[in-house]
Structure formats: C-alpha cells, structure tokens
C-alpha cells in the first residue's frame, strides 16, 4: 500500500523527421494510499503514457514520480513494487494458468509453498476453479483470461496496481461484470490502484477519484459526482455524462429587473431559447451581462412539459422532435429549437412523433454557465476549430 506522487511529469516522443509529440505535459497528481484513481480521457490524451511512466516502462522526459515516499525515476520496473494488468492480458500462451500465475514469483525465487499458497489465494479471490488452473490460456474465455491477468498481479502483493484499459477486449455484459469484480477486489485488498480507461462510465462507477486528461494535460481531478455536478470546463462537462451535456451559446440580458439567458447573438430570433435565471444564479452572474457565455443543460434536466414536475413558465421553451429513442426505463428525445439541436432524457416512456412540436421545461437549478473565450486561437491547420481544445479553455462560472 502506498501513496503515488506525480510531480510536473512530462513525456516528449520524437517522431519522424524530428517531429515532437508532447504526450504528457506537466502532470501533477497525488494518489492517496489505498485510493482507486481513474485516469480518463479521449484517445491519445496521454493516460497510458502516464501509467507506463509510473510502471517504469517508459523513460521520463521531465518531472518526478514517488512511490511510497521514494523517488523511482531511475528504479527498474521490477524493483518498483507495482503490478500492471494490460489490455491484451499478456499471458504466456505455452504455460498453464497455474504457471502463468506462479511464474513471476518463481523468477523472484519465492519458496514453492509460498507460491502455491499465493496462487491458490488469488484463484479463490477471482473464482478460478482448480480445473482452470491446469488449462492453457487459449482454452479460456475472454473473461477468464482477464481474471488470470488480474490474478498475476494479485499474487505479487504489490504496493500499487496499475490497470491499462483491462476491460476493452470484453463484450459489453462481461465488462459490466468485471467492472464490479475489480471494484470488489479493491474493497477487499485495499491497495492503491491506478486505472486507465477512455470509458467515462467505468471512470464514474469505479473511481474514488477521477483524473480527466486531454492533450497530455490534467483538466480536473475530483470525486465522480463532483466532476459530474461541477465540471471544471466545457470539455469535462461534455466528456463526462452520457448522453453529453447540451450547450447553448448566448448572452445574459436584463428584462423587468430579472436576468434571462438568451440564445444567440441578437436577442430573441425565431426558436431562440430565452430562460429566466434563478435568483442565486442571477446574483452570481451579474458581471457577465452582455458577454458571450454558454448555458449547459444535462439531458436529464430538460423534460417534456407533459411529464415535468415543475412548470415555471419562465423555464419553458418550444422545440421540434427529430428522433425519439425508447430505451425502456427512459426515453431520449432528440430535439431542435430552431437554432439548436439538443437531447433530452426522460424517465418516462413518452412517445413523440418526428416533427411534433413539444414544450420543454428546464430545471434551471441544475444548469451550468460557462465563459466563452474566442475560438479563433483554436483553429487547426485545416481551418476548423478544435472543439475539445476550445471547450477546455471555456471555464465554468457556476
Ligand atoms: P489510447 O486510449 O488511444 O491508448 P492514450 O490516452 O493512452 O490513448 P497515449 O498512448 O499515452 O494516449 O499516447 C499519447 C500521445 O503520445 C499520442 O499522441 C500518441 O500518438 C503518442 N505516442 C505514444 N507512444 C508513442 C511513441 N512510442 N512514439 C511516438 N508517439 C507516441
């Protein structure tokens, strides 16, 4: 069990023709003893590289890594007291499951009885029967192979477990099952665990805390609900949560002594959303009147008026249904307000025909407001705006 401290960690790769790729860019992260920390972000954000530097599988370009108080930058992977579980399981195909589990301990010259005890303990924890211990990996299902890969880490009794997308190769049902098993394993072993995934559902359900990364940089580190309820910027707000948060660009305008959010640049064209702020929101946003801001509404916070619990007329707008997806327990409505397409998620089984006009109610208390910086400096070579980069610069206001 150990604390892991990552200090100003950087990794630059040198690609073809001397092209530099900054994979990890000044990452600072304190992972507490016994904590389950999830590194999450889109493909290429540097999460695997960060994990591999912790494991010692990748040289560090700059910065420091401490495990249990000891600086490990120059410590060989085998001496770091970590165990890593890989996406492709990395089992030895010619060895039995028993041998796969025992091999690392044999290399470290553990006594035979101790190896036997640890292998049996790990097999019991993971529900691997004796019969499976005698088989070769190729005769196992994906889920069983994944268990063996985890077992190989357990027998080592490491200070820190590192997981690199360990469930990616499993089908959807097995993923959910293994997700719960790894969470239970953490509760049982109480080790420090660092888990890399691009799947925000895994991050939300497994992590004590989540570290959201983008372009090699940390966007936010917090407990799952804190990230969900108070995302640091529009990138995090859009990345965590499915379906994602809806964003409406606009401004705040004063009318009759109250503050309203008005979609678009000029007040009130056809289909523009015009919603009254809650008093507490208005108080905190007065200085933003007239400036470009974005209103963020999670799909579950906008509801068909027919089933909405509250019907404050200042929080209603009209939209046209485009597509209805009935999931059974809930319904996703894809709507267009004239100026904008957005998603509403209803707990009710509502049926709305495409093209039908519906009144939607927003739960304003749950809405977020983000500052909107100019998008010009976020243009890619192709001329398009790099939306993720731009959104990461649009910080939350409330
Ligand atoms: P994924 O979920 O796709 O695995 P990731 O967030 O784990 O993505 P990394 O694998 O850490 O991302 O890669 C971060 C960046 O570094 C990417 O742009 C990647 O192309 C680059 N990169 C990774 N390994 C190398 C390498 N050996 N040489 C050059 N560039 C690399």
């Amino acid at each position: 069990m150990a604390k892991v401290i990552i200090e100003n960690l950087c990794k630059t790769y040198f690609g073809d023709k001397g092209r530099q790729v900054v994979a990890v860019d000044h990452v600072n992260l304190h992972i507490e003893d016994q904590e389950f920390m999830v590194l999450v972000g889109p493909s290429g954000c540097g999460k695997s590289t960060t994990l591999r530097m912790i494991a010692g599988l990748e040289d560090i370009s700059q910065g420091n890594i401490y495990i249990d108080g000891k600086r490990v930058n120059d410590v060989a992977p085998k001496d770091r007291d970590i165990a890593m579980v890989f996406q492709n399981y990395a089992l030895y195909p010619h060895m039995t499951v028993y041998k796969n589990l025992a091999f690392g301990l044999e290399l470290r010259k553990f006594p035979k009885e101790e190896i036997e005890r640890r292998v049996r303990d790990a097999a019991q924890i993971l529900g691997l029967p004796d019969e499976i211990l005698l088989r070769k990996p190729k005769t196992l299902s994906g889920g069983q192979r994944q268990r063996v890969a985890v077992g190989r880490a357990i027998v080592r009794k490491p200070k820190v477990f590192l997981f690199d997308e360990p469930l990616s190769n499993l089908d959807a049902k097995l993923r959910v099952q293994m997700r719960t098993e790894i969470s239970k394993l953490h509760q049982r072993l109480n080790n420090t665990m660092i888990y890399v995934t691009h799947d925000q559902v895994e991050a939300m359900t497994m992590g004590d805390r989540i570290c959201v990364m983008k372009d090699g940089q940390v966007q936010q580190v917090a407990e799952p609900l804190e990230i969900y309820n108070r995302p640091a910027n529009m990138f995090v707000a859009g990345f965590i949560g499915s379906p994602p948060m809806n964003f409406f660009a606009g401004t705040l305008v004063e009318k009759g002594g109250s503050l309203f959010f008005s979609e678009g640049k000029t007040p009130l064209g056809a289909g523009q959303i015009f919603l009254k702020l809650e008093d507490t929101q208005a108080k905190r946003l007065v200085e933003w009147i007239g400036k470009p801001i974005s209103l963020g509404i999670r799909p579950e916070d906008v509801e068909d008026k027919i089933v909405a619990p509250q019907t404050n007329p200042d929080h209603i707008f009209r939209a046209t249904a485009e597509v209805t997806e009935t999931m059974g327990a809930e319904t996703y409505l894809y709507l267009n307000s004239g100026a904008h397409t957005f998603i509403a998620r209803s707990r009710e089984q509502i049926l709305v025909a495409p093209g039908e006009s519906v009144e939607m109610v927003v739960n304003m208390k749950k809405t977020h407001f983000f500052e909107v910086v100019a998008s010009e400096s976020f243009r890619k070579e192709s001329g398009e705006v790099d939306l993720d980069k731009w959104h990461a610069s649009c910080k939350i206001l409330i």
Side-chain angles (χ1 to χ4, degrees):
M1 283 179 272
K3 234 183 199 187
V4 177
I5 296 176
I6 297 170
E7 220 176 56
N8 266 325
L9 194 66
C10 298
K11 176 72 188 180
T12 306
Y13 289 110
F14 294 91
D16 302 340
K17 297 176 191 156
R19 198 174 64 89
Q20 290 190 10
V21 178
V22 180
V24 177
D25 190 2
H26 296 88
V27 166
N28 286 290
L29 192 57
H30 284 212
I31 300 153
E32 297 300 330
D33 185 19
Q34 303 184 3
E35 186 170 35
F36 197 120
M37 172 67 81
V38 179
L39 307 185
V40 69
S43 183
C45 72
K47 51 198 187 296
S48 291
T49 305
T50 303
L51 198 74
R52 290 171 64 80
M53 283 194 278
I54 299 170
L57 302 175
E58 211 60 80
D59 288 338
I60 294 171
S61 305
Q62 196 184 311
N64 293 304
I65 297 175
Y66 300 88
I67 299 178
D68 204 11
K70 183 178 165 196
R71 184 174 176 274
V72 295
N73 289 36
D74 305 314
V75 176
K78 67 178 176 44
D79 300 324
R80 291 193 183 194
D81 216 347
I82 49 103
M84 186 146 165
V85 180
F86 296 91
Q87 177 177 352
N88 60 5
Y89 319 139
L91 302 178
Y92 301 111
H94 58 289
M95 294 181 190
T96 62
V97 167
Y98 185 97
K99 190 76 174 167
N100 261 285
L101 294 173
F103 191 63
L105 302 178
E106 285 171 1
L107 279 184
R108 287 174 174 78
K109 308 262 183 276
F110 274 69
K112 209 162 169 263
E113 310 73 61
E114 175 66 8
I115 295 177
E116 166 102 22
R117 202 171 50 76
R118 288 197 186 190
V119 170
R120 300 274 166 211
D121 281 355
Q124 197 250 325
I125 289 173
L126 295 166
L128 292 169
D130 282 356
E131 175 264 318
I132 282 189
L133 296 182
L134 302 174
R135 291 210 229 151
K136 299 260 174 71
K138 70 167 185 282
T139 70
L140 304 180
S141 69
Q144 288 166 333
R145 278 183 225 183
Q146 188 48 262
R147 280 199 192 96
V148 179
V150 175
R152 216 168 42 177
I154 294 177
V155 293
R156 297 266 312 278
K157 298 195 174 172
K159 279 187 181 146
V160 183
F161 279 83
L162 306 176
F163 295 92
D164 192 2
E165 305 245 12
L167 309 183
S168 300
N169 292 343
L170 303 178
D171 65 47
K173 198 171 165 203
L174 211 49
R175 277 182 84 117
V176 175
Q177 189 186 332
M178 284 302 292
R179 200 166 80 195
T180 322
E181 287 192 20
I182 292 178
S183 293
K184 279 192 200 151
L185 187 72
H186 179 245
Q187 284 161 18
R188 177 168 182 162
L189 301 178
N190 252 326
N191 284 64
T192 308
M193 294 188 175
I194 308 175
Y195 187 103
V196 159
T197 181
H198 62 271
D199 181 342
Q200 54 94 23
V201 178
E202 273 176 31
M204 284 297 287
T205 52
M206 297 173 88
D208 289 325
R209 281 191 303 157
I210 301 174
C211 169
V212 184
M213 293 182 70
K214 196 192 80 65
D215 292 339
Q217 295 176 345
V218 171
Q219 299 296 316
Q220 187 170 12
V221 184
E223 291 177 12
L225 281 182
E226 168 76 8
I227 295 222
Y228 193 79
N229 294 332
R230 218 187 135 65
N233 55 49
M234 277 173 69
F235 169 77
V236 177
F239 188 76
I240 299 286
S242 176
M245 187 183 280
N246 300 296
F247 296 115
F248 301 85
T251 47
L252 296 178
V253 292
E254 226 173 341
K255 192 178 156 209
S258 294
L259 215 52
F260 288 78
F261 170 80
S262 173
E263 191 184 12
K265 286 188 179 121
T266 46
L268 237 31
Q272 280 178 308
I273 288 169
F274 195 75
L275 298 164
K276 187 178 171 189
L277 272 63
E278 295 281 300
D279 289 348
T280 46
Q281 293 173 325
K283 263 187 208 128
R284 293 173 63 189
L285 291 174
V286 171
E287 61 184 296
W288 288 88
I289 294 173
K291 294 176 187 165
I293 59 164
S294 185
L295 168 68
I297 308 177
R298 290 218 180 266
E300 63 270 27
D301 298 322
V302 51
E303 181 72 282
D304 191 323
K305 185 169 165 259
I306 297 173
V307 290
Q310 56 139 320
T311 47
N312 181 339
D314 290 325
H315 296 162
I316 294 174
F317 65 94
R318 191 164 274 285
T320 309
E322 287 183 342
V323 177
T324 308
E325 285 180 354
T326 41
M327 316 291 286
E330 52 190 18
T331 309
Y332 296 164
L333 290 178
Y334 293 77
L335 300 138
N336 192 300
S337 64
H340 210 292
T341 297
F342 65 97
I343 307 173
R345 175 187 194 163
S346 175
R347 280 182 300 273
E348 306 292 331
Q349 295 181 340
I350 40 178
L351 282 174
V352 186
E356 197 176 313
S357 175
V358 276
E359 279 192 306
M360 301 300 295
V361 184
V362 177
N363 182 356
M364 279 307 283
K365 286 190 185 71
K366 294 278 193 78
T367 56
H368 299 287
F369 291 86
F370 300 87
E371 74 169 305
V372 175
V373 298
S375 62
E376 281 317 300
S377 44
F378 300 97
R379 287 204 187 279
K380 298 189 244 184
E381 274 168 29
S382 62
E384 279 172 82
V385 172
D386 182 333
L387 265 190
D388 283 350
K389 253 200 183 106
W390 177 38
H391 281 178
S393 296
C394 299
K395 308 281 179 241
I396 195 166
L397 299 170
I398 59 168

